[in-house]
Amino acid sequence: MSDGYAIDVSGLNKHFGDKHVVKDVSLRVRRGEILGFLGPNGSGKTTTIRMMCGLLKPDSGSGTCLGFDIRRDSGQIKRRVGYMTQKFSYWDDLTIRENLDFVARMYDMPDRSGAVGRTLTGLGLTDRANQLTGTLSGGWKQRLALAACLLHDPELLLLDEPTAGVDPGARRDFWEELQRLSAAGISVLVSTHYMDEAERCHKLAYLSEGRLLAQGTSQEVIATQGLITWAIHGGNLSNLSETLQRLPGVEQTVLFGAMLHVSGRDGELLERTLRATASGTGFRMEKVDTGLEDVFIYKMKQSAKESGPGA
Amino acid sequence: MSPLNGFSLSRWWSIVLKEFLQLRRDRLTFAMIVGIPLVQLTLFGYAINTDPRHMPTAVISADHSEMTRTMIASMKTSGYFDIVAELPDEEAGRAALARGEVQFILNIPAGFTRGVLRGERPALLVEADATDPMATGMALASIDRLAAVVAAKDLTGPLAFLAAGQAPFDVRVHRLYNPEGITQYNIIPGLMGVILTMTMVLMTGLAITKELERGTMENLLAMPVRPFEVMTGKIVPYIAIGLIQATIIVLAARIAFRIPFAGSVVMLYVAVLLFVAANLTVGITLSSLAKNQLQAMQMTFFYFLPNILLSGFMFPFQGMPSWARFIGNLLPLTYFNRLTRGIFLKGNGWWDLWPNLWPLMVFTVVVMTVAVKFYRRTLD
């Protein structure tokens, strides 16, 4: 059943006290696939990832990770999964080499010093190998963490916001590395807040308040929402945005610097409203493809509306 | 520039409020604020007695007469001595003292009564385990008065002439193990256990909470390592540290304090090893119970307090009421104090040490089981 799936879980639930943080989440990730895990802060992404690698026990639900039962075989799963925590979690008071050595010993690597040496070379850190890890910059720590969780040749990577606080250049390098790994058959589940990263994933899953709201390729996710989007260029867009929000057919406005995205499900009504309000006033407008960002902001607002404040 | 320049009552009050709010949510600190005075008052008020009474005493009697019965009875009524055994000979008496089963031996020689009646002024022998001068001092002082009591009761009528003038018999006191009653002889070997308790429990107490606080625990839990491997692995370096500490204390005891060393070095290190292991399991257990390093330190302090007061280190063990001795008997330091004093001062052998060795082993196994049970296998 789970042949071809690196992750195949269904109906996962998790409570912390009386808070229901993960609600009936079912996910599938094919081998060699990169699944982008999206959702606002506190939506349950980290909790879901932790349940998959045995760090948390689900209250209910079942499934497999690399063919092993997530409830019973967490030992087997841990051996085959590389998990990168959201917060850097290697030892600051060990050197880079000592950290990698520790990891290699943990996984009983046969050629330990060889593996550590290769990783150091790959990172370009060979001459800094004896530097204390705590002295590394954020970007380097992130690269080290990825290298360390790849050290034991895992079949599946679980990456929890790996690029938070990392500069664009390092992010680009990081994603090129992920794509190489994916091409080599390694499956990846990566959570992120960046839309450009989401576009690079084969599949997306969107989580909000513990519930999985959308899953599929980015085109599929966008299409299911049926949003029509117009882009408006011009000056003083923030006033225009406020005006538009109260008008019929406009369900969402999102300001991107010098451009305003206006979206709604009823295309005709939206177009009429826009033409009546914005044409001939120095604004230039065009119909554009709805982007992932539009869709996710829309979904976030929707789920907030449904549950109401403080629910 | 007055510090009150520009003082804002509202800003000041906001600090006061914040501290109260945080204090109220820090349950363990709050428990300490309430608990420590209560614990200290109970221990110092009820458990600790610097004039210990009812100390176990054995009698070796080769002479049974009205007069010896009066002697034993008056020892009992002094309140200092509880007669717990009747021993056949000197050898059995020494063994009982060495194992710490009795604190005193009253040795009545054959023909004692006849000697008194003949006016020969025979001698009674009282042997005392003087390891802890505080425990025996007052009791021994009371013994001198006993001769007069016996004389007043039994030497009356025609025998009254024997009671007049000099005492009718001698009481000879042998202070064993620490004849000069030097306090350091008792304190320094005891200090060894106190220092080891403090450092071992504190250092391992921080071992797991440190990982939790730095976020490295999540990484450790995601790796295929078993709780038992983590726990015992974290303990091993501290065993080495404990042995080094013990060596430093032994050398200081010998060189700086000139404490006699009557026993065997091997036995001492075996005792240290078992004691260090017992303390490390306590530390690792506290560490898996505590949420952060501060809590671990507070718990260590809680653990340390009864150890200092109830283990016989600072105050005589025999002087405490039975409930306090019961608590004391649950603490490894109580046994280790007996072991170090036994090895340093009494020259105890394996057979004498065994009653204080096996409780350390049992303690370690039980606490380690608890520790592994409470170790976080997940982040739940």
Side-chain angles (χ1 to χ4, degrees):
Chain A
M1 276 187 306
S2 59
D3 286 344
Y5 287 108
I7 296 175
D8 185 1
V9 294
S10 59
L12 290 187
N13 276 287
K14 184 73 189 173
H15 295 78
F16 290 131
D18 52 1
K19 267 194 81 182
H20 196 172
V21 288
V22 173
K23 300 165 189 162
D24 284 324
V25 167
S26 303
L27 264 184
R28 279 181 165 184
V29 180
R30 280 182 197 285
R31 293 200 187 245
E33 194 171 73
I34 303 179
L35 177 83
F37 209 22
L38 302 133
N41 292 327
S43 56
K45 300 192 296 291
T46 299
T47 306
T48 308
I49 293 176
R50 283 175 174 173
M51 282 194 281
M52 286 176 202
C53 61
L55 281 175
L56 290 173
K57 278 243 175 299
D59 295 335
S60 65
S62 63
T64 58
C65 208
L66 300 169
F68 294 99
D69 189 288
I70 57 164
R71 290 172 169 278
R72 286 198 323 264
D73 307 326
S74 70
Q76 293 291 336
I77 294 172
K78 284 174 185 179
R79 236 161 273 162
R80 290 168 177 79
V81 165
Y83 172 46
M84 185 167 160
T85 54
Q86 193 168 347
K87 183 173 166 275
F88 182 73
S89 64
Y90 288 86
W91 287 265
D92 280 347
D93 46 0
L94 295 184
T95 66
I96 296 162
R97 184 191 297 280
E98 285 162 352
N99 263 313
L100 292 173
D101 224 36
F102 176 81
V103 175
R105 278 179 210 274
M106 272 284 144
Y107 291 95
D108 278 328
M109 303 273 302
D111 173 25
R112 201 181 66 246
S113 64
V116 170
R118 277 193 300 280
T119 301
L120 283 170
T121 316
L123 279 169
L125 280 176
T126 310
D127 41 330
R128 290 163 76 187
N130 297 322
Q131 188 181 328
L132 284 185
T133 307
T135 61
L136 287 175
S137 69
W140 276 107
K141 279 187 179 173
Q142 173 256 8
R143 292 179 62 181
L144 172 65
L146 179 67
C149 77
L150 284 170
L151 193 69
H152 62 288
D153 301 323
E155 297 162 48
L156 167 67
L157 285 178
L158 301 173
L159 311 173
D160 196 357
E161 291 186 27
T163 55
V166 169
D167 70 58
R171 270 174 55 199
R172 198 194 51 229
D173 293 347
F174 182 85
W175 274 89
E176 274 168 16
E177 173 75 13
L178 279 196
Q179 251 124 17
R180 254 198 310 279
L181 292 166
S182 154
I186 295 175
S187 323
V188 180
L189 175 81
V190 53
S191 74
T192 180
H193 287 301
Y194 298 109
M195 288 308 134
D196 60 320
E197 293 185 353
E199 315 257 8
R200 287 167 174 259
C201 300
H202 302 127
K203 294 270 179 62
L204 295 173
Y206 182 83
L207 205 62
S208 175
E209 306 202 357
R211 210 176 284 284
L212 200 62
L213 295 185
Q215 192 176 355
T217 63
S218 64
Q219 287 79 14
E220 282 166 5
V221 170
I222 293 169
T224 52
Q225 299 308 312
L227 281 182
I228 310 292
T229 301
W230 288 74
I232 304 178
H233 303 267
N236 205 357
L237 288 169
S238 101
N239 275 353
L240 178 66
S241 164
E242 268 184 50
T243 317
L244 284 172
Q245 271 170 23
R246 286 189 290 270
L247 296 177
V250 177
E251 293 186 62
Q252 169 175 294
T253 60
V254 182
L255 194 53
F256 295 94
M259 176 173 65
L260 182 71
H261 273 196
V262 185
S263 314
R265 273 172 301 184
D266 187 338
E268 279 175 41
L269 183 61
L270 178 68
E271 190 171 349
R272 247 181 289 134
T273 302
L274 286 178
R275 295 215 180 281
T277 319
S279 61
T281 50
F283 294 109
R284 185 163 57 80
M285 50 184 205
E286 56 182 325
K287 198 169 170 191
V288 294
D289 289 340
T290 304
L292 264 182
E293 188 140 17
D294 301 308
V295 169
F296 288 135
I297 293 172
Y298 180 71
K299 292 203 79 72
M300 230 149 84
K301 283 186 182 160
Q302 250 187 345
S303 63
K305 231 180 279 171
E306 275 164 23
S307 57
Chain B
M1 283 288 280
S2 154
L4 288 175
N5 263 352
F7 182 88
S8 152
L9 197 64
S10 120
R11 281 200 300 261
W12 173 80
W13 183 240
S14 75
I15 299 277
V16 172
L17 271 183
K18 169 184 152 293
E19 291 304 308
F20 266 119
L21 287 174
Q22 288 176 315
L23 197 60
R24 207 183 55 191
R25 279 176 199 140
D26 185 0
R27 293 236 181 100
L28 196 66
T29 302
F30 200 73
M32 277 185 88
I33 291 169
V34 180
I36 286 192
L38 289 179
V39 171
Q40 295 253 29
L41 279 173
T42 313
L43 295 188
F44 277 104
Y46 295 112
I48 286 158
N49 183 1
T50 54
D51 180 16
R53 286 158 194 267
H54 300 291
M55 283 178 289
T57 305
V59 176
I60 304 169
S61 184
D63 184 4
H64 297 271
S65 71
E66 187 66 27
M67 200 180 297
T68 60
R69 274 193 292 278
T70 309
M71 179 70 196
I72 292 168
S74 59
M75 278 178 79
K76 277 190 205 163
T77 47
S78 76
Y80 284 109
F81 308 95
D82 275 359
I83 310 295
V84 294
E86 182 102 25
L87 297 173
D89 53 25
E90 180 69 5
E91 203 179 317
R94 284 294 173 101
L97 279 176
R99 281 197 294 275
E101 289 163 4
V102 297
Q103 193 90 22
F104 299 99
I105 304 275
L106 172 67
N107 197 335
I108 304 171
F112 170 76
T113 312
R114 204 179 43 187
V116 173
L117 294 177
R118 287 184 183 167
E120 289 168 353
R121 302 196 61 244
L124 278 179
L125 179 65
V126 173
E127 288 174 301
D129 174 352
T131 320
D132 182 356
M134 196 199 278
T136 47
M138 301 292 265
L140 289 177
S142 81
I143 285 221
D144 285 339
R145 295 193 297 273
L146 293 182
V149 172
V150 173
K153 184 168 181 293
D154 286 348
L155 300 177
T156 50
L159 295 173
F161 73 97
L162 288 170
Q166 278 187 311
F169 55 90
D170 264 351
V171 180
R172 293 206 189 122
V173 174
H174 274 189
R175 289 182 176 84
L176 297 174
Y177 314 127
N178 184 3
E180 292 152 81
I182 299 170
T183 315
Q184 277 92 330
Y185 282 16
N186 182 49
I187 293 290
I188 305 286
L191 208 50
M192 185 153 160
V194 171
I195 293 170
L196 286 173
T197 302
M198 192 158 64
T199 51
M200 293 297 105
V201 175
L202 187 60
M203 282 193 286
T204 39
L206 301 180
I208 289 174
T209 44
K210 198 158 63 188
E211 306 270 5
L212 268 180
E213 240 167 81
R214 294 188 184 171
T216 48
M217 195 67 188
E218 190 179 356
N219 202 338
L220 207 54
L221 287 173
M223 293 184 192
V225 62
R226 291 166 184 281
F228 188 71
E229 292 163 354
V230 176
M231 301 237 147
T232 48
K234 275 179 171 290
I235 279 178
V236 165
Y238 296 104
I239 292 182
I241 291 174
L243 293 176
I244 293 169
Q245 278 191 334
T247 307
I248 293 170
I249 299 166
V250 172
L251 291 177
R254 294 291 291 140
I255 295 162
F257 296 97
R258 308 209 166 274
I259 311 289
F261 191 89
S264 118
V265 177
V266 176
M267 289 180 197
L268 181 68
Y269 275 92
V270 168
V272 168
L273 203 63
L274 287 175
F275 180 64
V276 164
N279 276 304
L280 293 177
T281 54
V282 172
I284 211 92
T285 307
L286 296 186
S287 197
S288 32
L289 292 175
K291 288 196 187 70
N292 52 49
Q293 296 193 54
L294 178 69
Q295 278 200 356
M297 286 176 81
Q298 288 174 323
M299 287 181 179
T300 305
F301 187 72
F302 259 141
Y303 175 72
F304 196 53
L305 199 65
N307 267 288
I308 289 283
L309 299 175
L310 299 183
S311 65
F313 163 69
M314 215 178 240
F315 307 101
F317 191 78
Q318 299 294 355
M320 302 191 303
S322 56
W323 63 265
R325 286 206 301 267
F326 176 79
I327 297 172
N329 276 330
L330 297 176
L331 304 171
L333 186 56
T334 304
Y335 300 99
F336 189 65
N337 277 336
R338 294 180 193 150
L339 290 171
T340 48
R341 287 165 185 173
I343 293 166
F344 269 90
L345 302 176
K346 299 181 177 179
N348 279 169
W350 290 119
W351 183 242
D352 299 321
L353 296 176
W354 178 244
N356 294 312
L357 285 175
W358 68 259
L360 292 180
M361 299 181 195
V362 172
F363 182 91
T364 307
V365 172
V366 170
V367 177
M368 195 68 202
T369 313
V370 174
V372 171
K373 203 170 152 52
F374 276 97
Y375 177 80
R376 289 158 220 262
R377 283 166 176 77
T378 63
L379 288 168
D380 279 293

